Amino acid sequence: MALAIEDLPVFHQLEGDIAFSRGEFEKAYDSYMLVNESPIASSESYYFAAKAKQQIPGGNLLEIITLLDSAVMKSTSPSDAIVYLQENIDFKTQFAQYGALVKDYDLYYYLSGGNVTDAFFYYREQAKFRSGDFEGALTDITSEITIAPDNAIYQAEEGSIYLRMQELQKAQQSIEKAIALDPDFASSHRLLGVCLLRQEKKSEACNSFAKAKELGDPVVDKLIKENCE
């Protein structure tokens, strides 16, 4: 009878909770994984398995991501799912899983009922940009600018997207807006230089690169060396 009780999933859940509270993370992880293989597997059992795995030295990041994905899928509460998503987004960002990140951001948007800030659109735009979805990135940056039209970073980001799309006139307009909003934003001057260089306006480009260097841009030296010396 005692053995039967100890094999009950609910016992393993309790065992995992006690081990986790004591900092015995390997034991906690093993117990939670037994629960996850049972009919009572829940968003909480997957989540705490992920949290325990995170505390084990050498824990596999992909395994943590998979466990958090399961926690999201098992969740019956939008607020809980959002918490799990937020943590998993951080891990997927570290692992450069940009396609998966976009899907998580889309789910976050749905679960939050669209109640998001301009920062949300910025981070989703970054994920789309890095996954090669430039049209999608442009849509999100437009939403960012609508919410915060005076943010020079967003204007420069729009210019960067247009640069990747080879729409140089639009890129220049966006970057010049960024500079007008914040003349000391060094990266905008570097971006403007790249845009002008692609339009074969070398002298103007070099002036922009020089301004970026003057303002302390950390990566403009290579552009100056390759194009202006």
Side-chain angles (χ1 to χ4, degrees):
M1 177 66 71
L3 180 61
I5 292 173
E6 289 183 1
D7 279 341
L8 288 174
V10 67
F11 174 82
H12 294 302
Q13 178 74 51
L14 178 60
E15 186 179 53
D17 292 342
I18 293 171
F20 193 96
S21 68
R22 291 176 174 173
E24 299 170 355
F25 297 114
E26 290 191 21
K27 184 177 180 180
Y29 172 78
D30 291 339
S31 296
Y32 289 133
M33 291 307 291
L34 288 172
V35 177
N36 292 338
E37 294 169 1
S38 78
I40 70 164
S42 66
S43 59
E44 289 83 3
S45 63
Y46 278 106
Y47 177 69
F48 280 103
K51 298 300 286 183
K53 189 72 171 178
Q54 187 180 349
Q55 297 300 321
I56 298 171
N60 187 295
L61 182 57
L62 280 175
E63 290 180 15
I64 296 170
I65 288 171
T66 299
L67 288 166
L68 287 173
D69 279 336
S70 296
V72 172
M73 288 188 291
K74 282 281 187 181
S75 182
T76 57
S77 163
S79 59
D80 287 344
I82 284 174
V83 171
Y84 307 149
L85 270 173
Q86 287 174 321
E87 292 201 30
N88 215 11
I89 282 170
D90 288 340
F91 284 118
K92 288 178 181 177
T93 300
Q94 294 177 45
F95 216 75
Q97 292 187 338
Y98 298 119
L101 271 172
V102 172
K103 292 180 181 179
D104 280 359
Y105 280 123
D106 289 345
L107 181 57
Y108 183 101
Y109 186 87
Y110 170 77
L111 291 171
S112 65
N115 185 24
V116 296
T117 65
D118 55 301
F120 167 85
F121 289 110
Y122 177 75
Y123 290 123
R124 189 172 69 174
E125 174 265 319
Q126 290 281 291
K128 288 179 177 179
F129 184 86
R130 285 169 170 77
S131 66
D133 179 12
F134 301 129
E135 290 288 351
L138 191 59
T139 298
D140 276 346
I141 203 70
T142 300
S143 297
E144 295 166 40
I145 291 172
T146 299
I147 297 170
D150 294 332
N151 189 310
I153 293 175
Y154 296 166
Q155 296 285 355
E157 190 69 22
E158 183 180 60
S160 180
I161 295 169
Y162 278 130
L163 269 175
R164 289 296 297 268
M165 297 172 73
Q166 293 299 319
E167 296 193 34
L168 301 180
Q169 291 297 323
K170 291 181 179 179
Q172 184 172 341
Q173 290 172 7
S174 297
I175 297 165
E176 286 177 343
K177 286 179 185 177
I179 292 171
L181 288 167
D182 184 358
D184 295 330
F185 185 19
S187 297
S188 292
H189 292 280
R190 170 169 41 84
L191 280 174
L192 180 59
V194 172
C195 185
L196 292 167
L197 197 63
R198 291 185 184 178
Q199 296 177 70
E200 300 183 356
K201 299 177 181 178
K202 186 174 181 178
S203 177
E204 294 175 52
C206 289
N207 288 336
S208 292
F209 291 149
K211 184 64 176 178
K213 182 177 178 63
E214 177 189 325
L215 293 170
D217 188 282
V219 297
V220 75
D221 282 342
K222 182 179 179 182
L223 289 166
I224 293 172
K225 185 174 181 180
E226 291 177 348
N227 299 285
C228 307
E229 291 181 355

PDB file of all heavy atoms in Angstrom, residues 121-141:
ATOM      1  N   PHE A 121       5.730  46.146 -29.652  1.00  0.00           N
ATOM      2  CA  PHE A 121       5.890  46.174 -31.106  1.00  0.00           C
ATOM      3  C   PHE A 121       7.368  46.257 -31.493  1.00  0.00           C
ATOM      4  O   PHE A 121       7.781  45.678 -32.503  1.00  0.00           O
ATOM      5  CB  PHE A 121       5.118  47.355 -31.696  1.00  0.00           C
ATOM      6  CG  PHE A 121       3.626  47.184 -31.645  1.00  0.00           C
ATOM      7  CD1 PHE A 121       2.851  47.948 -30.794  1.00  0.00           C
ATOM      8  CD2 PHE A 121       2.998  46.241 -32.444  1.00  0.00           C
ATOM      9  CE1 PHE A 121       1.471  47.784 -30.738  1.00  0.00           C
ATOM     10  CE2 PHE A 121       1.626  46.073 -32.397  1.00  0.00           C
ATOM     11  CZ  PHE A 121       0.858  46.855 -31.541  1.00  0.00           C
ATOM     12  N   TYR A 122       8.153  46.954 -30.678  1.00  0.00           N
ATOM     13  CA  TYR A 122       9.585  47.060 -30.963  1.00  0.00           C
ATOM     14  C   TYR A 122      10.255  45.689 -30.880  1.00  0.00           C
ATOM     15  O   TYR A 122      10.997  45.300 -31.785  1.00  0.00           O
ATOM     16  CB  TYR A 122      10.248  48.029 -29.990  1.00  0.00           C
ATOM     17  CG  TYR A 122      11.744  48.134 -30.181  1.00  0.00           C
ATOM     18  CD1 TYR A 122      12.285  48.839 -31.250  1.00  0.00           C
ATOM     19  CD2 TYR A 122      12.625  47.514 -29.297  1.00  0.00           C
ATOM     20  CE1 TYR A 122      13.658  48.930 -31.437  1.00  0.00           C
ATOM     21  CE2 TYR A 122      14.001  47.606 -29.480  1.00  0.00           C
ATOM     22  CZ  TYR A 122      14.505  48.312 -30.541  1.00  0.00           C
ATOM     23  OH  TYR A 122      15.855  48.397 -30.727  1.00  0.00           O
ATOM     24  N   TYR A 123       9.979  44.946 -29.818  1.00  0.00           N
ATOM     25  CA  TYR A 123      10.623  43.638 -29.655  1.00  0.00           C
ATOM     26  C   TYR A 123      10.126  42.633 -30.695  1.00  0.00           C
ATOM     27  O   TYR A 123      10.915  41.832 -31.211  1.00  0.00           O
ATOM     28  CB  TYR A 123      10.389  43.107 -28.242  1.00  0.00           C
ATOM     29  CG  TYR A 123      11.144  43.876 -27.191  1.00  0.00           C
ATOM     30  CD1 TYR A 123      10.494  44.486 -26.126  1.00  0.00           C
ATOM     31  CD2 TYR A 123      12.531  44.010 -27.271  1.00  0.00           C
ATOM     32  CE1 TYR A 123      11.193  45.203 -25.166  1.00  0.00           C
ATOM     33  CE2 TYR A 123      13.241  44.728 -26.318  1.00  0.00           C
ATOM     34  CZ  TYR A 123      12.570  45.324 -25.270  1.00  0.00           C
ATOM     35  OH  TYR A 123      13.268  46.038 -24.331  1.00  0.00           O
ATOM     36  N   ARG A 124       8.830  42.698 -31.021  1.00  0.00           N
ATOM     37  CA  ARG A 124       8.350  41.783 -32.065  1.00  0.00           C
ATOM     38  C   ARG A 124       8.919  42.179 -33.421  1.00  0.00           C
ATOM     39  O   ARG A 124       9.269  41.317 -34.237  1.00  0.00           O
ATOM     40  CB  ARG A 124       6.821  41.767 -32.116  1.00  0.00           C
ATOM     41  CG  ARG A 124       6.284  40.656 -33.048  1.00  0.00           C
ATOM     42  CD  ARG A 124       4.794  40.482 -32.964  1.00  0.00           C
ATOM     43  NE  ARG A 124       4.060  41.612 -33.516  1.00  0.00           N
ATOM     44  CZ  ARG A 124       2.733  41.635 -33.653  1.00  0.00           C
ATOM     45  NH1 ARG A 124       2.003  40.593 -33.267  1.00  0.00           N
ATOM     46  NH2 ARG A 124       2.140  42.698 -34.158  1.00  0.00           N
ATOM     47  N   GLU A 125       9.050  43.473 -33.646  1.00  0.00           N
ATOM     48  CA  GLU A 125       9.662  43.935 -34.895  1.00  0.00           C
ATOM     49  C   GLU A 125      11.096  43.432 -35.020  1.00  0.00           C
ATOM     50  O   GLU A 125      11.536  43.008 -36.093  1.00  0.00           O
ATOM     51  CB  GLU A 125       9.633  45.465 -34.937  1.00  0.00           C
ATOM     52  CG  GLU A 125      10.366  46.083 -36.110  1.00  0.00           C
ATOM     53  CD  GLU A 125      11.798  46.474 -35.740  1.00  0.00           C
ATOM     54  OE1 GLU A 125      11.995  46.997 -34.631  1.00  0.00           O
ATOM     55  OE2 GLU A 125      12.703  46.240 -36.565  1.00  0.00           O
ATOM     56  N   GLN A 126      11.842  43.468 -33.911  1.00  0.00           N
ATOM     57  CA  GLN A 126      13.217  42.987 -33.922  1.00  0.00           C
ATOM     58  C   GLN A 126      13.274  41.500 -34.283  1.00  0.00           C
ATOM     59  O   GLN A 126      14.130  41.071 -35.061  1.00  0.00           O
ATOM     60  CB  GLN A 126      13.855  43.204 -32.550  1.00  0.00           C
ATOM     61  CG  GLN A 126      14.117  44.663 -32.208  1.00  0.00           C
ATOM     62  CD  GLN A 126      15.367  45.196 -32.887  1.00  0.00           C
ATOM     63  OE1 GLN A 126      16.475  44.806 -32.553  1.00  0.00           O
ATOM     64  NE2 GLN A 126      15.195  46.081 -33.845  1.00  0.00           N
ATOM     65  N   ALA A 127      12.347  40.722 -33.725  1.00  0.00           N
ATOM     66  CA  ALA A 127      12.307  39.288 -34.022  1.00  0.00           C
ATOM     67  C   ALA A 127      11.962  39.049 -35.488  1.00  0.00           C
ATOM     68  O   ALA A 127      12.555  38.197 -36.160  1.00  0.00           O
ATOM     69  CB  ALA A 127      11.296  38.591 -33.116  1.00  0.00           C
ATOM     70  N   LYS A 128      11.001  39.801 -35.998  1.00  0.00           N
ATOM     71  CA  LYS A 128      10.623  39.659 -37.412  1.00  0.00           C
ATOM     72  C   LYS A 128      11.786  40.063 -38.322  1.00  0.00           C
ATOM     73  O   LYS A 128      12.062  39.382 -39.320  1.00  0.00           O
ATOM     74  CB  LYS A 128       9.388  40.514 -37.718  1.00  0.00           C
ATOM     75  CG  LYS A 128       8.100  39.985 -37.121  1.00  0.00           C
ATOM     76  CD  LYS A 128       6.918  40.888 -37.450  1.00  0.00           C
ATOM     77  CE  LYS A 128       5.620  40.322 -36.908  1.00  0.00           C
ATOM     78  NZ  LYS A 128       4.458  41.198 -37.209  1.00  0.00           N
ATOM     79  N   PHE A 129      12.434  41.155 -37.973  1.00  0.00           N
ATOM     80  CA  PHE A 129      13.566  41.638 -38.774  1.00  0.00           C
ATOM     81  C   PHE A 129      14.654  40.570 -38.853  1.00  0.00           C
ATOM     82  O   PHE A 129      15.176  40.272 -39.929  1.00  0.00           O
ATOM     83  CB  PHE A 129      14.120  42.921 -38.144  1.00  0.00           C
ATOM     84  CG  PHE A 129      15.226  43.571 -38.925  1.00  0.00           C
ATOM     85  CD1 PHE A 129      14.938  44.458 -39.944  1.00  0.00           C
ATOM     86  CD2 PHE A 129      16.554  43.304 -38.637  1.00  0.00           C
ATOM     87  CE1 PHE A 129      15.962  45.072 -40.668  1.00  0.00           C
ATOM     88  CE2 PHE A 129      17.580  43.900 -39.343  1.00  0.00           C
ATOM     89  CZ  PHE A 129      17.278  44.786 -40.365  1.00  0.00           C
ATOM     90  N   ARG A 130      14.977  39.977 -37.707  1.00  0.00           N
ATOM     91  CA  ARG A 130      16.052  38.991 -37.660  1.00  0.00           C
ATOM     92  C   ARG A 130      15.648  37.649 -38.281  1.00  0.00           C
ATOM     93  O   ARG A 130      16.525  36.850 -38.631  1.00  0.00           O
ATOM     94  CB  ARG A 130      16.527  38.808 -36.221  1.00  0.00           C
ATOM     95  CG  ARG A 130      17.372  39.976 -35.751  1.00  0.00           C
ATOM     96  CD  ARG A 130      17.622  39.954 -34.252  1.00  0.00           C
ATOM     97  NE  ARG A 130      18.619  40.945 -33.871  1.00  0.00           N
ATOM     98  CZ  ARG A 130      18.389  42.243 -33.778  1.00  0.00           C
ATOM     99  NH1 ARG A 130      17.180  42.721 -34.034  1.00  0.00           N
ATOM    100  NH2 ARG A 130      19.349  43.082 -33.426  1.00  0.00           N
ATOM    101  N   SER A 131      14.352  37.420 -38.418  1.00  0.00           N
ATOM    102  CA  SER A 131      13.907  36.199 -39.093  1.00  0.00           C
ATOM    103  C   SER A 131      13.703  36.419 -40.590  1.00  0.00           C
ATOM    104  O   SER A 131      13.308  35.508 -41.310  1.00  0.00           O
ATOM    105  CB  SER A 131      12.610  35.674 -38.458  1.00  0.00           C
ATOM    106  OG  SER A 131      11.538  36.575 -38.673  1.00  0.00           O
ATOM    107  N   GLY A 132      13.974  37.665 -41.048  1.00  0.00           N
ATOM    108  CA  GLY A 132      13.887  37.960 -42.476  1.00  0.00           C
ATOM    109  C   GLY A 132      12.532  38.436 -42.952  1.00  0.00           C
ATOM    110  O   GLY A 132      12.331  38.629 -44.150  1.00  0.00           O
ATOM    111  N   ASP A 133      11.593  38.670 -42.017  1.00  0.00           N
ATOM    112  CA  ASP A 133      10.260  39.159 -42.394  1.00  0.00           C
ATOM    113  C   ASP A 133      10.270  40.682 -42.340  1.00  0.00           C
ATOM    114  O   ASP A 133       9.799  41.292 -41.376  1.00  0.00           O
ATOM    115  CB  ASP A 133       9.204  38.576 -41.444  1.00  0.00           C
ATOM    116  CG  ASP A 133       7.791  39.065 -41.748  1.00  0.00           C
ATOM    117  OD1 ASP A 133       7.584  39.680 -42.822  1.00  0.00           O
ATOM    118  OD2 ASP A 133       6.893  38.839 -40.908  1.00  0.00           O
ATOM    119  N   PHE A 134      10.789  41.303 -43.374  1.00  0.00           N
ATOM    120  CA  PHE A 134      10.948  42.757 -43.360  1.00  0.00           C
ATOM    121  C   PHE A 134       9.605  43.487 -43.482  1.00  0.00           C
ATOM    122  O   PHE A 134       9.418  44.537 -42.873  1.00  0.00           O
ATOM    123  CB  PHE A 134      11.900  43.193 -44.465  1.00  0.00           C
ATOM    124  CG  PHE A 134      13.263  42.569 -44.355  1.00  0.00           C
ATOM    125  CD1 PHE A 134      13.844  41.925 -45.432  1.00  0.00           C
ATOM    126  CD2 PHE A 134      13.954  42.596 -43.158  1.00  0.00           C
ATOM    127  CE1 PHE A 134      15.092  41.328 -45.328  1.00  0.00           C
ATOM    128  CE2 PHE A 134      15.203  42.009 -43.033  1.00  0.00           C
ATOM    129  CZ  PHE A 134      15.765  41.365 -44.121  1.00  0.00           C
ATOM    130  N   GLU A 135       8.681  42.923 -44.237  1.00  0.00           N
ATOM    131  CA  GLU A 135       7.351  43.540 -44.352  1.00  0.00           C
ATOM    132  C   GLU A 135       6.651  43.526 -42.994  1.00  0.00           C
ATOM    133  O   GLU A 135       6.026  44.510 -42.585  1.00  0.00           O
ATOM    134  CB  GLU A 135       6.513  42.804 -45.398  1.00  0.00           C
ATOM    135  CG  GLU A 135       6.978  42.999 -46.836  1.00  0.00           C
ATOM    136  CD  GLU A 135       6.697  44.395 -47.372  1.00  0.00           C
ATOM    137  OE1 GLU A 135       5.995  45.165 -46.690  1.00  0.00           O
ATOM    138  OE2 GLU A 135       7.207  44.707 -48.474  1.00  0.00           O
ATOM    139  N   GLY A 136       6.741  42.380 -42.310  1.00  0.00           N
ATOM    140  CA  GLY A 136       6.137  42.293 -40.983  1.00  0.00           C
ATOM    141  C   GLY A 136       6.803  43.240 -40.002  1.00  0.00           C
ATOM    142  O   GLY A 136       6.139  43.870 -39.169  1.00  0.00           O
ATOM    143  N   ALA A 137       8.124  43.349 -40.092  1.00  0.00           N
ATOM    144  CA  ALA A 137       8.856  44.258 -39.220  1.00  0.00           C
ATOM    145  C   ALA A 137       8.424  45.699 -39.471  1.00  0.00           C
ATOM    146  O   ALA A 137       8.261  46.489 -38.529  1.00  0.00           O
ATOM    147  CB  ALA A 137      10.357  44.106 -39.450  1.00  0.00           C
ATOM    148  N   LEU A 138       8.218  46.025 -40.734  1.00  0.00           N
ATOM    149  CA  LEU A 138       7.797  47.385 -41.085  1.00  0.00           C
ATOM    150  C   LEU A 138       6.413  47.693 -40.519  1.00  0.00           C
ATOM    151  O   LEU A 138       6.157  48.796 -40.036  1.00  0.00           O
ATOM    152  CB  LEU A 138       7.803  47.544 -42.608  1.00  0.00           C
ATOM    153  CG  LEU A 138       7.645  48.965 -43.149  1.00  0.00           C
ATOM    154  CD1 LEU A 138       8.757  49.869 -42.651  1.00  0.00           C
ATOM    155  CD2 LEU A 138       7.621  48.932 -44.678  1.00  0.00           C
ATOM    156  N   THR A 139       5.525  46.703 -40.553  1.00  0.00           N
ATOM    157  CA  THR A 139       4.187  46.890 -39.984  1.00  0.00           C
ATOM    158  C   THR A 139       4.272  47.198 -38.498  1.00  0.00           C
ATOM    159  O   THR A 139       3.586  48.099 -37.984  1.00  0.00           O
ATOM    160  CB  THR A 139       3.330  45.632 -40.204  1.00  0.00           C
ATOM    161  OG1 THR A 139       3.162  45.413 -41.602  1.00  0.00           O
ATOM    162  CG2 THR A 139       1.962  45.778 -39.551  1.00  0.00           C
ATOM    163  N   ASP A 140       5.136  46.461 -37.781  1.00  0.00           N
ATOM    164  CA  ASP A 140       5.262  46.688 -36.345  1.00  0.00           C
ATOM    165  C   ASP A 140       5.928  48.018 -36.039  1.00  0.00           C
ATOM    166  O   ASP A 140       5.541  48.707 -35.090  1.00  0.00           O
ATOM    167  CB  ASP A 140       6.052  45.545 -35.698  1.00  0.00           C
ATOM    168  CG  ASP A 140       5.168  44.351 -35.370  1.00  0.00           C
ATOM    169  OD1 ASP A 140       3.932  44.503 -35.385  1.00  0.00           O
ATOM    170  OD2 ASP A 140       5.709  43.265 -35.102  1.00  0.00           O
ATOM    171  N   ILE A 141       6.931  48.399 -36.818  1.00  0.00           N
ATOM    172  CA  ILE A 141       7.593  49.668 -36.539  1.00  0.00           C
ATOM    173  C   ILE A 141       6.640  50.832 -36.791  1.00  0.00           C
ATOM    174  O   ILE A 141       6.689  51.855 -36.105  1.00  0.00           O
ATOM    175  CB  ILE A 141       8.895  49.826 -37.372  1.00  0.00           C
ATOM    176  CG1 ILE A 141       9.860  50.837 -36.707  1.00  0.00           C
ATOM    177  CG2 ILE A 141       8.613  50.276 -38.781  1.00  0.00           C
ATOM    178  CD1 ILE A 141      10.474  50.352 -35.436  1.00  0.00           C
TER     179      ILE A 141
END
